[in-house]
Every structure is written in C-alpha cells, then in structure tokens.
Amino acid sequence: MKKGYFGDFGGQFIPELLMPPLIELEEAMKTILPSEEFQTRFTNMLKENVGRPSAITYCPNLSKDLGLDLWLKREDLNHSGAHKINNTLGQGLLAKMMGKEVLLAETGAGMHGVATTVAAAMLGMKAVIYMGATDVVRQAPNVGRMRLMGADIIAVESGTKTLKDAINAALRRWIADQETTHYCFGTAAGPHPFPTLVREFQQIISKEARAQFMERNGGDLPDVVVACVGGGSNAIGMFHHFIPDESVKIVGVEAAGTGEPGCYSSAPIDHGTEGVLHGMKTKLLQTPDGQIEPSHSVAPGLDYPGVGPEHAHLDAIGRVDYTVINDAQAINAFKVLSRREGIIPALESSHAVAYAIENREQLQGKSVLVCLSGRGDKDLGILDQIL
C-alpha cells in the first residue's frame, strides 16, 4: 500500500511549501503520539474535560414508533456539544508538545471552530479560525462562543463563502505561519497524514460504543451502525472498530440537499467522481472538466463537495453502504427525535437519525446504533427560518 493512501484514495497533493510542516507532523505522530506522557495527558483530558466515555442511549418511544431498536451514541453530550473536541484536544496537545503557539482551523458549522478554541484556551494557545462568510451568519451562536473564548475569527468572502473556501484560506495562512502554527484540520480528509491522525483521535467513538452496546445487549453486536458523512470524521470514528465485524451492516449517510434531480447536494460518494481537492485524491462533486461544483445541505457541517479518502475506499471495496437523506427528511428527524425523546440533535446528526426513520420497513426488528455526532441548539436559527 502506498504511503498515505487508502486503496486508490488519499495521498499528498500539495504545494512544495507545505511539505515541511506535514513531514514535521508525521514525525510527531511517530515520536510524541505514542509516548506515555502524551497518552496519559490525552486520556485524562478526555475524561476530565470532555466527559468521556460518552453514553449510549436507548430510545424507547421512537423504537416503539418505528418497530426497531434505536440506540444513540451520544457525542452531543461531550463538552462543547459534538465529537469535534476528541480531535481538537488531541491535535492541540500534540501541537503544544511540538512547541507550537497557535492553533489554526477552518470551520463550517462552527463546531470544529468552537472545539479548537476550547482546546487552545485549555492549553494556553491562540486560536485563529477561518469561516465562510455565509456560515458566520448561519451559525451566529457558535461565532459568539468562539469570540468569548478568545478566538480570532476571519470571515472568508471568496467562492461560495462556505467550508471549502475556509479550508483554502486556512491552508494559505499555514504556508505563511508554519513555524509557530499548527493547522488543526477538522475532519478525516486533506493531505496525508491528516486522515489517519483525525481517525486516531475519533476512533474512541466506536471503541466505546462497541463495548457499551455489547455490555447492554448480552454480548450481541448491533445489526446496523449509522453515521452522517460530510468530510467524515464522526463517521470514521463510529465505523472504525466495527469494520472487522462482518455481521454488522455499516451505513454512511450523505446529504442530498433539497433532493430534486439536478439540485446541488453534498453527496460526493453517491453523486460524484474521482478527483483531487484539498491535498487528497477522493470522490468529489465536480463538472466533467474538473471544476468543483457548489455543494448544498441544510446542515452546514455536511456542506462540503468532497469526502475523506478512507470513506471513498470503504465505498469502493463495498464494506460501507453510502446513501443519501434530503433536507426535508433531516428536518423531520430533527423534530421527531426532539419531540419523542427530548433530545435535540444537530442537523448533521439528524441525517443519520432520518436513515432509521425513512428505512424503518427494511429495519423491522433490527438493532440500529446511530452516532449522534452533535447537539442541535446551534441550528435553531436555521429551523426558525425554514419553519
């Protein structure tokens, strides 16, 4: 296997100027990451600052409604409200031990920005957050949280003014400031070693969930494991320890956008073709001549025209089924879970919950374990506009 590849996908498609910090990061992954000092400090931070292990929750009301056993892995209960903090604390601590002073990040929904800012504040570092100008408006509560905790927020006015444009701007900043700065990439995508590094910090989700589910179910594994897929970090975290379990069906849910034929979506695995973006070879939403198309999802954190290379590989080998849920189905799931179980899910996570609701006929009598990747209070403004 070629270094930094998952089958045919991955690699390092980057300007020469970015090679030094990536090589430095790879070295740190070999030396600092496995060290007892790092592992001890990181484990303690996950326990004392994040609140891990996060619970798994059985949903009795919705299970009865749907005719299946619905379980949630509650990443929404983590400090800062999503799975993102597993990664930002890991990368932040690694950067601190590498001697860096600044954590640079891109953010779409704002959750990764918030989690990076939390990590920076905890570790005595500076946070610089790039965010598409559209998302600054859409996710105002998270912008307020980041500013309160001391982050510099830079609104990106280029392109579609969303996540991909924020990543472009953050990468340019990293080239200029690599001596003092670590780019805390937010999802399991980008150039090697980021997809591997982010998976390393997110695999705790499935490590816990698999053991928790078996403990609650007499040693049985779930029939189906589900997560939403944007860039794909909550999903790769949720899938990793279930991949060897052949009896477990694994489902990744992409965003279909509004859902009508020809609409803009955020479903590169289902609708896209192979190409290169943000330093990796993966599946992309692009025109026949390779221009990146605008993406759309009601969930800002899924609004991305690419996907992490390991997901493209898991699709290619047929281990994970990737499917789509549209905006209206996700909004319905958002409301249903809130009303039936008193849990308000992020619009991103609502796509995964919607899979169980929309496919209940095929899932009758089965146990379905969904990664609830984040909480939904950040999305109430979007819901108010739509409803």
Side-chain angles (χ1 to χ4, degrees):
M1 191 168 110
K2 288 181 289 189
K3 188 182 91 164
Y5 276 82
F6 304 90
D8 293 332
F9 301 99
Q12 283 179 321
F13 296 83
I14 52 159
E16 199 59 39
L17 289 167
L18 272 181
M19 280 312 291
L22 288 176
I23 291 167
E24 185 186 18
L25 184 56
E26 264 192 276
E27 281 305 306
M29 284 169 67
K30 286 180 195 151
T31 55
I32 299 171
L33 196 62
S35 71
E36 193 180 339
E37 184 191 355
F38 179 89
Q39 290 297 331
T40 303
R41 283 180 71 183
F42 184 49
T43 304
N44 282 344
M45 287 163 86
L46 288 178
K47 185 177 164 191
E48 293 175 12
N49 299 92
V50 180
R52 301 208 74 89
S54 63
I56 65 166
T57 299
Y58 180 66
C59 297
N61 305 324
L62 208 41
S63 294
K64 196 171 159 194
D65 295 348
L66 300 174
L68 49 89
D69 282 332
L70 181 64
W71 296 78
L72 305 175
K73 176 60 173 164
R74 300 291 305 280
E75 293 300 295
D76 61 311
L77 295 177
N78 294 338
H79 176 49
S80 77
H83 67 290
K84 293 290 187 186
I85 194 153
N86 305 326
N87 173 47
T88 61
L89 278 186
Q91 287 199 48
L93 181 60
L94 190 63
K96 180 87 174 171
M97 291 174 73
M98 288 165 72
K100 304 296 180 187
E101 295 155 23
V102 179
L103 288 182
L104 172 66
E106 84 298 326
T107 195
M111 297 310 281
H112 175 60
V114 168
T116 302
T117 307
V118 168
M122 277 175 52
L123 292 161
M125 300 172 82
K126 178 79 191 157
V128 177
I129 311 297
Y130 281 79
M131 193 170 187
T134 302
D135 291 332
V136 170
V137 176
R138 283 202 290 190
Q139 302 280 269
N142 278 340
V143 175
R145 292 163 81 194
M146 289 186 271
R147 288 206 169 112
L148 180 64
M149 292 185 286
D152 288 347
I153 295 167
I154 295 153
V156 179
E157 299 284 355
S158 60
T160 55
K161 304 182 186 180
T162 56
L163 182 60
K164 83 169 170 60
D165 312 293
I167 293 173
N168 291 337
L171 282 167
R172 285 194 287 272
R173 173 74 173 257
W174 196 28
I175 289 172
D177 293 350
Q178 54 191 261
E179 281 297 308
T180 55
T181 302
H182 171 69
Y183 183 14
C184 189
F185 203 74
T187 191
H192 174 73
F194 283 116
T196 304
L197 180 64
V198 175
R199 183 190 68 196
E200 172 63 30
F201 294 136
Q202 292 294 359
Q203 52 88 27
I204 185 83
I205 301 173
S206 53
K207 187 177 181 184
E208 288 175 4
R210 189 177 181 278
Q212 288 167 320
F213 188 90
M214 289 172 76
E215 188 185 331
R216 293 280 300 275
N217 291 276
D220 290 344
L221 287 163
D223 295 314
V224 186
V225 167
V226 189
C228 66
V229 181
S233 67
N234 97 89
I236 213 67
M238 185 64 176
F239 297 169
H240 186 66
H241 289 279
F242 288 108
I243 286 168
D245 297 319
E246 287 172 21
S247 69
V248 178
K249 178 178 177 171
I250 303 178
V251 179
V253 182
E254 295 190 295
T258 53
E260 60 267 9
C263 73
Y264 289 133
S265 74
S266 298
I269 293 178
D270 277 87
H271 301 163
T273 50
E274 290 182 20
V276 172
L277 176 68
H278 296 145
M280 61 180 165
K281 182 184 175 194
T282 187
K283 295 284 286 288
L284 301 173
L285 298 169
Q286 57 186 347
T287 64
D289 54 0
Q291 294 300 308
I292 301 300
E293 290 189 321
S295 57
H296 165 76
S297 169
V298 71
L302 301 182
D303 196 341
Y304 181 60
V307 66
E310 191 169 3
H311 287 293
H313 173 62
L314 289 168
D315 173 62
I317 63 172
R319 178 59 188 100
V320 176
D321 289 339
Y322 292 88
T323 185
V324 293
I325 285 291
N326 66 37
D327 290 352
Q329 291 168 326
I331 290 164
N332 176 60
F334 183 99
K335 293 193 288 193
V336 168
L337 188 65
S338 299
R339 287 172 187 170
R340 294 298 285 140
E341 299 292 347
I343 297 169
I344 303 173
L347 278 171
E348 292 79 14
S349 323
S350 299
H351 284 72
V353 177
Y355 171 82
I357 296 172
E358 300 298 329
N359 295 281
R360 57 188 176 274
E361 302 300 323
Q362 300 97 289
L363 295 169
Q364 286 301 295
K366 291 195 174 349
S367 54
V368 181
L369 177 58
V370 173
C371 184
L372 205 74
S373 54
R375 64 174 191 239
D377 37 70
K378 71 180 179 65
D379 296 318
L380 296 178
I382 295 175
L383 264 287
D384 284 346
Q385 284 175 347
I386 292 166
L387 303 176

